Amino acid sequence: MAADDALIAQFTQAGTGILMTLKRDGRPQASVVAHAIDPATRTLRISVTDDRAKTRNLRRDPRATYMVVRPDGGGYAVGEGTAELSAPAADPHDATVDELVDVYRAVQGEHPDWDEFRAAMVEQRRLVLTIRLDRVYGWGA
């Protein structure tokens, strides 16, 4: 297995990670979030809320860093890429909510009430953050 593949595997094994964006003053802003990953395309998808700092930061500067740590502390992987943000959810059956359903399924499995979930996505003004990992580094892979 190539080093990059072993590092990507750490993203697959981790359910959560730390999303780092840049504040207006250049300092990092960090958030712990759950993610779905497609290892073949090295693409992360994360459900975020429209009015949060990380979302505002990424609209201003789309550079993003995402880090996962092995539960035993014996390794970590960091991915860097350019963020893409979907439109905020506006209707329970719009394309954004459909993608949020896909992200939820990849992270959590089936939801007990999809109608309730879809309504909540609109109420919370959720959207999908997509990051293609252009660069990965770390150790312990």
Side-chain angles (χ1 to χ4, degrees):
M1 180 182 297
D4 273 8
D5 292 340
L7 290 169
I8 293 297
Q10 288 192 55
F11 289 95
T12 303
Q13 295 159 4
T16 60
I18 302 166
L19 172 65
M20 290 165 270
T21 63
L22 296 173
K23 295 180 187 180
R24 193 174 297 279
D25 66 4
R27 291 183 298 163
Q29 185 272 334
S31 301
V32 176
V33 297
H35 66 272
I37 184 163
D38 177 348
T41 63
R42 300 165 53 126
T43 302
L44 292 169
R45 291 185 304 159
I46 300 164
S47 172
V48 297
T49 306
D50 192 34
D51 65 349
R52 297 288 166 89
K54 61 185 150 287
T55 308
R56 288 191 306 272
N57 291 342
L58 290 169
R59 281 198 176 103
R60 188 184 65 260
D61 184 338
R63 293 177 293 171
T65 300
Y66 195 77
M67 178 178 181
V68 295
V69 179
R70 285 192 7 201
D72 65 2
Y76 71 91
V78 178
E80 298 174 338
T82 302
E84 295 177 20
L85 297 167
S86 72
D91 178 272
H93 298 285
D94 67 17
T96 297
V97 176
D98 288 345
E99 189 170 6
L100 287 162
V101 166
D102 289 343
V103 171
Y104 185 94
R105 281 186 169 133
V107 173
Q108 299 278 356
E110 290 300 312
H111 190 278
D113 186 337
W114 286 114
D115 289 336
E116 177 185 331
F117 174 87
R118 287 174 174 277
M121 297 300 97
V122 174
E123 181 181 325
Q124 295 171 17
R125 298 201 32 86
R126 290 232 164 227
L127 56 140
V128 178
L129 160 60
T130 303
I131 307 168
R132 182 174 185 306
L133 302 178
D134 298 323
R135 178 173 183 250
V136 294
Y137 59 92
W139 68 272

